[in-house]
Amino acid sequence: MVQLTMDLIVKNASHKNRSEEDLGQYLQKITHMYLSDKNIDSIGDLAFCKNLRFLYLYDNQINQIQNLDFASNITHLYLQNNHISSIENLSPLKKLEKLYLGDNYITVVEGLDKVGGLRELHIENQHLPPGEKLLFDPVSLNSLAKSLSVLNISNNNIDELEELAILENLSYLKAVDNQLKHIKDLEVVLKKWTKLRRIDLTGNPICQTPKYKDRIIVQSLTLEYLDGKEIQEMERRFLINWKAARDAREKSNERMTDEHAANVQFPDSETPHLTLPYNPSDSVKEKADYLDLAHKQKVERKPPPRICERKSQMKTQVEEESEVTAEVV
């Protein structure tokens, strides 16, 4: 295998026949180092490369991040498609802005608590053990809360995003081909990502949720691209107005229901009647008793006073007419 050393750098350099002094000066001036696909399995001493800004080491066999104490000026580190299993030894990289670690064997996003200025983290397609998902160390997430703006976590069996809500300056999240299922959980984090401009969730079960795109567009007013497609402002305004009208209609219906329930009462002229339970399995005697009791409820009531008085007057008149007739006869 091959170790990354200054000899390897010189071997791959474009200059020829330089003296020792010229070589030292050359190494100190290097800002970009392209060493991808060189079968490199480890990083050696690169102490002379103090002005290095971009280090390209993707498509190699590196299994550990190490010997980067010299690299205090590196801003871009490319380590995709290696055999790295742990994020470590990055504390000397005080100016690191973009870290590419896709297609490795990392199981936990950690070791970034000393890299407070990181703006982009690409950690997609990790070779995880069966049934496991990529995990996030809270300490590292807290350290990245104010700086990280781009995060790529695609294809890592991730099923929820709640712990990432702390990333308050996130502007682009790529979480393609994961296991995100619940739209309500997503809506919670969208409320906290107030600077989000792009999100790509293609290939997640959540994409099959009814009104999935509409709900996300309404929830995140800053979002400009969803699943690779631009969101038109007219579309957003239509959905916002539609949601407002629906909410108003629901509140109105609830208010009418409450008012109706509050006004329900018996009319003054109506008197509740006793209702007796009736069971088809009751005996014949019980049924007879039931009917008898029901009959007793219909007890004759005395006619109202006016009716009694009217009957009395009519009776008196009839008697008087009878007496007159008798006298005539």
Side-chain angles (χ1 to χ4, degrees):
M1 302 303 287
V2 180
Q3 185 180 42
L4 174 56
T5 62
M6 285 186 288
D7 290 339
L8 181 62
I9 296 172
V10 172
K11 182 179 179 181
N12 287 273
S14 59
H15 70 289
K16 296 181 180 180
N17 300 321
R18 293 183 180 272
S19 64
E20 290 291 335
E21 184 177 359
D22 290 336
L23 178 59
Q25 292 177 353
Y26 168 76
L27 292 174
Q28 289 182 11
K29 292 179 180 179
I30 291 179
T31 58
H32 292 63
M33 187 180 295
Y34 300 92
L35 291 169
S36 59
D37 197 17
K38 301 293 184 183
N39 287 321
I40 297 172
D41 65 336
S42 63
I43 302 173
D45 183 11
L46 304 177
F48 281 99
C49 304
K50 295 184 180 299
N51 289 307
L52 198 62
R53 300 284 192 279
F54 294 74
L55 179 55
Y56 297 86
L57 292 173
Y58 57 86
D59 295 340
N60 280 297
Q61 307 296 320
I62 299 171
N63 52 40
Q64 184 179 12
I65 303 174
Q66 61 182 354
N67 295 325
L68 295 176
D69 296 346
F70 73 95
S72 59
N73 289 311
I74 284 185
T75 59
H76 295 59
L77 180 58
Y78 296 81
L79 290 168
Q80 310 98 299
N81 196 24
N82 278 282
H83 293 167
I84 299 169
S85 60
S86 178
I87 305 175
E88 57 187 344
N89 301 320
L90 293 176
S91 56
L93 283 61
K94 301 298 183 183
K95 297 182 180 180
L96 188 63
E97 297 179 2
K98 298 183 181 183
L99 178 59
Y100 294 82
L101 290 168
D103 293 284
N104 275 286
Y105 293 80
I106 298 167
T107 57
V108 182
V109 177
E110 58 185 349
L112 298 173
D113 49 300
K114 303 297 183 181
V115 190
L118 194 67
R119 294 192 294 107
E120 295 188 18
L121 175 60
H122 301 262
I123 194 163
E124 71 282 4
N125 304 321
Q126 297 303 308
H127 300 279
L128 300 165
E132 293 191 13
K133 65 178 182 179
L134 183 67
L135 302 176
F136 297 87
D137 170 41
V139 177
S140 290
L141 286 178
N142 188 65
S143 179
L144 300 174
K146 296 185 180 301
S147 65
L148 200 68
S149 62
V150 177
L151 178 61
N152 186 351
I153 52 174
S154 296
N155 194 25
N156 283 315
N157 292 329
I158 294 172
D159 55 8
E160 58 90 19
L161 299 173
E162 183 179 358
E163 58 190 332
L164 302 181
I166 193 175
L167 303 174
E168 58 186 69
N169 284 308
L170 198 65
S171 64
Y172 179 28
L173 174 68
K174 188 172 184 179
V176 172
D177 296 331
N178 279 295
Q179 299 300 320
L180 300 172
K181 300 176 182 178
H182 306 294
I183 188 69
K184 290 186 177 180
D185 293 342
L186 179 60
E187 289 176 335
V188 170
V189 294
L190 287 175
K191 290 180 181 179
K192 298 182 179 181
W193 289 336
T194 58
K195 297 182 180 179
L196 193 67
R197 298 289 183 272
R198 304 170 63 101
I199 188 170
D200 194 344
L201 303 174
T202 307
N204 281 274
I206 197 174
C207 297
Q208 305 304 318
T209 304
K211 302 290 184 181
Y212 151 73
K213 291 186 177 181
D214 294 350
R215 294 175 67 172
I216 291 180
I217 292 173
V218 170
Q219 188 62 61
S220 179
L221 301 182
T222 61
L223 202 62
E224 298 174 358
Y225 289 86
L226 172 59
D227 296 346
K229 296 182 179 180
E230 185 177 5
I231 299 171
Q232 301 297 327
E233 190 57 33
M234 182 178 296
E235 178 184 11
R236 173 179 278 114
R237 271 193 263 110
F238 169 79
L239 291 172
I240 291 175
N241 292 336
W242 174 82
K243 183 178 183 297
R246 185 196 63 183
D247 293 345
R249 188 164 56 250
E250 290 178 353
K251 288 183 179 179
S252 177
N253 291 338
E254 290 175 1
R255 185 170 61 254
M256 292 177 63
T257 301
D258 293 341
E259 291 176 353
H260 176 72
N263 292 328
V264 169
Q265 53 181 305
F266 291 110
D268 294 339
S269 61
E270 181 180 344
T271 303
H273 296 284
L274 174 65
T275 301
L276 298 177
Y278 173 68
N279 189 340
S281 65
D282 291 343
S283 65
V284 174
K285 182 178 182 304
E286 289 173 338
K287 293 178 181 178
D289 293 342
Y290 168 79
L291 294 173
D292 183 59
L293 182 57
H295 177 72
K296 289 180 180 180
Q297 290 182 0
K298 299 181 179 179
V299 176
E300 294 183 0
R301 299 178 182 178
K302 293 182 179 180
R306 292 183 179 178
I307 297 178
C308 292
E309 182 180 352
R310 179 62 177 169
K311 286 183 177 181
S312 177
Q313 292 176 353
M314 292 177 64
K315 180 178 180 182
T316 302
Q317 183 178 356
V318 170
E319 290 176 351
E320 291 177 351
E321 290 177 352
S322 298
E323 292 177 357
V324 171
T325 303
E327 290 178 0
V328 173
V329 173

CSV table of all heavy atoms in Angstrom, one decimal, residues 157-159 175-183 201-210 212:
chain,number,residue,atom,x,y,z
A,157,ASN,N,-30.3,5.2,6.4
A,157,ASN,CA,-31.4,4.6,7.2
A,157,ASN,C,-31.9,5.6,8.3
A,157,ASN,O,-32.5,5.1,9.3
A,157,ASN,CB,-30.8,3.4,7.9
A,157,ASN,CG,-30.6,2.2,6.9
A,157,ASN,OD1,-31.2,2.1,5.9
A,157,ASN,ND2,-29.6,1.4,7.2
A,158,ILE,N,-31.9,6.8,8.1
A,158,ILE,CA,-32.3,7.8,9.1
A,158,ILE,C,-33.9,7.9,9.0
A,158,ILE,O,-34.5,8.0,8.0
A,158,ILE,CB,-31.7,9.2,8.8
A,158,ILE,CG1,-30.2,9.1,9.0
A,158,ILE,CG2,-32.4,10.3,9.7
A,158,ILE,CD1,-29.5,10.4,8.6
A,159,ASP,N,-34.5,7.8,10.2
A,159,ASP,CA,-36.0,7.8,10.3
A,159,ASP,C,-36.6,9.0,11.0
A,159,ASP,O,-37.8,9.1,11.1
A,159,ASP,CB,-36.4,6.5,11.0
A,159,ASP,CG,-35.8,6.3,12.4
A,159,ASP,OD1,-35.1,7.2,12.9
A,159,ASP,OD2,-36.0,5.2,12.9
A,175,ALA,N,-31.5,14.6,2.1
A,175,ALA,CA,-31.7,13.4,2.9
A,175,ALA,C,-32.4,12.3,2.1
A,175,ALA,O,-33.4,11.7,2.5
A,175,ALA,CB,-32.5,13.7,4.2
A,176,VAL,N,-31.9,12.1,0.9
A,176,VAL,CA,-32.5,11.2,-0.1
A,176,VAL,C,-32.4,9.8,0.4
A,176,VAL,O,-31.4,9.4,1.0
A,176,VAL,CB,-31.8,11.4,-1.5
A,176,VAL,CG1,-32.3,10.3,-2.5
A,176,VAL,CG2,-32.1,12.8,-2.0
A,177,ASP,N,-33.3,8.9,0.0
A,177,ASP,CA,-33.3,7.5,0.3
A,177,ASP,C,-33.0,7.1,1.7
A,177,ASP,O,-32.1,6.3,2.0
A,177,ASP,CB,-32.2,6.8,-0.6
A,177,ASP,CG,-32.5,6.9,-2.1
A,177,ASP,OD1,-33.7,7.0,-2.4
A,177,ASP,OD2,-31.6,7.0,-2.9
A,178,ASN,N,-33.8,7.7,2.6
A,178,ASN,CA,-33.7,7.3,4.0
A,178,ASN,C,-35.1,6.7,4.4
A,178,ASN,O,-35.8,6.2,3.6
A,178,ASN,CB,-33.4,8.5,4.9
A,178,ASN,CG,-31.9,8.8,4.9
A,178,ASN,OD1,-31.1,8.0,5.4
A,178,ASN,ND2,-31.5,10.0,4.4
A,179,GLN,N,-35.4,6.7,5.7
A,179,GLN,CA,-36.6,6.0,6.2
A,179,GLN,C,-37.6,7.0,6.9
A,179,GLN,O,-38.3,6.7,7.8
A,179,GLN,CB,-36.3,4.9,7.2
A,179,GLN,CG,-35.4,3.8,6.6
A,179,GLN,CD,-36.1,3.1,5.4
A,179,GLN,OE1,-37.3,2.9,5.5
A,179,GLN,NE2,-35.4,2.8,4.4
A,180,LEU,N,-37.6,8.3,6.4
A,180,LEU,CA,-38.5,9.3,7.0
A,180,LEU,C,-39.9,9.0,6.7
A,180,LEU,O,-40.2,8.8,5.5
A,180,LEU,CB,-38.1,10.7,6.5
A,180,LEU,CG,-36.6,11.1,6.9
A,180,LEU,CD1,-36.3,12.4,6.2
A,180,LEU,CD2,-36.4,11.2,8.4
A,181,LYS,N,-40.8,8.9,7.7
A,181,LYS,CA,-42.2,8.5,7.5
A,181,LYS,C,-43.2,9.5,7.9
A,181,LYS,O,-44.3,9.5,7.3
A,181,LYS,CB,-42.4,7.2,8.2
A,181,LYS,CG,-41.5,6.0,7.8
A,181,LYS,CD,-41.8,4.8,8.6
A,181,LYS,CE,-40.8,3.6,8.2
A,181,LYS,NZ,-41.1,2.4,9.0
A,182,HIS,N,-43.0,10.3,8.9
A,182,HIS,CA,-44.0,11.1,9.6
A,182,HIS,C,-43.9,12.5,9.2
A,182,HIS,O,-43.0,13.2,9.5
A,182,HIS,CB,-43.9,10.9,11.1
A,182,HIS,CG,-44.0,9.5,11.5
A,182,HIS,ND1,-45.1,8.7,11.3
A,182,HIS,CD2,-43.0,8.7,12.1
A,182,HIS,CE1,-44.8,7.5,11.8
A,182,HIS,NE2,-43.6,7.4,12.3
A,183,ILE,N,-45.0,13.0,8.5
A,183,ILE,CA,-45.0,14.4,8.0
A,183,ILE,C,-45.1,15.4,9.2
A,183,ILE,O,-44.5,16.5,9.2
A,183,ILE,CB,-46.2,14.6,7.1
A,183,ILE,CG1,-46.2,16.0,6.4
A,183,ILE,CG2,-47.5,14.4,7.8
A,183,ILE,CD1,-45.0,16.1,5.4
A,201,LEU,N,-36.0,15.2,-0.2
A,201,LEU,CA,-36.3,14.0,0.5
A,201,LEU,C,-36.8,12.9,-0.4
A,201,LEU,O,-37.4,11.9,0.1
A,201,LEU,CB,-37.5,14.3,1.5
A,201,LEU,CG,-37.2,15.5,2.5
A,201,LEU,CD1,-38.5,15.8,3.3
A,201,LEU,CD2,-36.1,15.1,3.4
A,202,THR,N,-36.4,12.9,-1.6
A,202,THR,CA,-36.8,11.9,-2.6
A,202,THR,C,-36.4,10.5,-2.1
A,202,THR,O,-35.3,10.3,-1.6
A,202,THR,CB,-36.0,12.2,-3.9
A,202,THR,OG1,-36.3,13.5,-4.4
A,202,THR,CG2,-36.5,11.2,-5.0
A,203,GLY,N,-37.3,9.6,-2.3
A,203,GLY,CA,-37.0,8.2,-1.9
A,203,GLY,C,-37.3,7.8,-0.5
A,203,GLY,O,-37.0,6.7,-0.1
A,204,ASN,N,-38.0,8.7,0.2
A,204,ASN,CA,-38.4,8.4,1.6
A,204,ASN,C,-39.9,8.1,1.6
A,204,ASN,O,-40.7,8.5,0.8
A,204,ASN,CB,-38.2,9.7,2.5
A,204,ASN,CG,-36.8,9.8,2.9
A,204,ASN,OD1,-36.3,9.2,3.9
A,204,ASN,ND2,-36.0,10.6,2.2
A,205,PRO,N,-40.3,7.2,2.5
A,205,PRO,CA,-41.8,6.9,2.6
A,205,PRO,C,-42.7,8.1,2.8
A,205,PRO,O,-43.8,8.1,2.4
A,205,PRO,CB,-41.8,5.9,3.8
A,205,PRO,CG,-40.5,5.3,3.9
A,205,PRO,CD,-39.5,6.4,3.5
A,206,ILE,N,-42.1,9.1,3.4
A,206,ILE,CA,-42.9,10.3,3.7
A,206,ILE,C,-43.4,11.0,2.4
A,206,ILE,O,-44.5,11.7,2.4
A,206,ILE,CB,-42.0,11.4,4.4
A,206,ILE,CG1,-42.9,12.4,5.1
A,206,ILE,CG2,-41.0,12.0,3.6
A,206,ILE,CD1,-42.2,13.4,6.0
A,207,CYS,N,-42.8,10.7,1.3
A,207,CYS,CA,-43.2,11.3,0.0
A,207,CYS,C,-44.5,10.7,-0.5
A,207,CYS,O,-45.1,11.3,-1.4
A,207,CYS,CB,-42.1,11.0,-1.1
A,207,CYS,SG,-40.5,11.8,-0.7
A,208,GLN,N,-45.0,9.6,0.1
A,208,GLN,CA,-46.2,9.0,-0.3
A,208,GLN,C,-47.4,9.6,0.6
A,208,GLN,O,-48.5,9.2,0.3
A,208,GLN,CB,-46.2,7.5,-0.1
A,208,GLN,CG,-45.0,6.9,-0.9
A,208,GLN,CD,-45.0,7.2,-2.4
A,208,GLN,OE1,-46.1,7.2,-3.0
A,208,GLN,NE2,-43.9,7.5,-3.0
A,209,THR,N,-47.1,10.4,1.5
A,209,THR,CA,-48.1,11.0,2.4
A,209,THR,C,-49.0,11.9,1.6
A,209,THR,O,-48.5,12.8,0.8
A,209,THR,CB,-47.5,11.8,3.5
A,209,THR,OG1,-46.6,10.9,4.2
A,209,THR,CG2,-48.6,12.3,4.5
A,210,PRO,N,-50.4,11.9,1.7
A,210,PRO,CA,-51.3,12.8,1.0
A,210,PRO,C,-50.9,14.2,1.3
A,210,PRO,O,-50.6,14.6,2.4
A,210,PRO,CB,-52.7,12.4,1.6
A,210,PRO,CG,-52.5,11.0,2.0
A,210,PRO,CD,-51.1,10.9,2.5
A,212,TYR,N,-48.3,15.8,0.7
A,212,TYR,CA,-46.9,15.9,1.2
A,212,TYR,C,-46.3,17.2,0.8
A,212,TYR,O,-45.8,18.0,1.6
A,212,TYR,CB,-46.1,14.7,0.7
A,212,TYR,CG,-44.7,15.0,0.6
A,212,TYR,CD1,-43.8,15.1,1.7
A,212,TYR,CD2,-44.1,15.0,-0.7
A,212,TYR,CE1,-42.4,15.3,1.5
A,212,TYR,CE2,-42.7,15.2,-0.9
A,212,TYR,CZ,-41.9,15.4,0.2
A,212,TYR,OH,-40.6,15.6,0.1
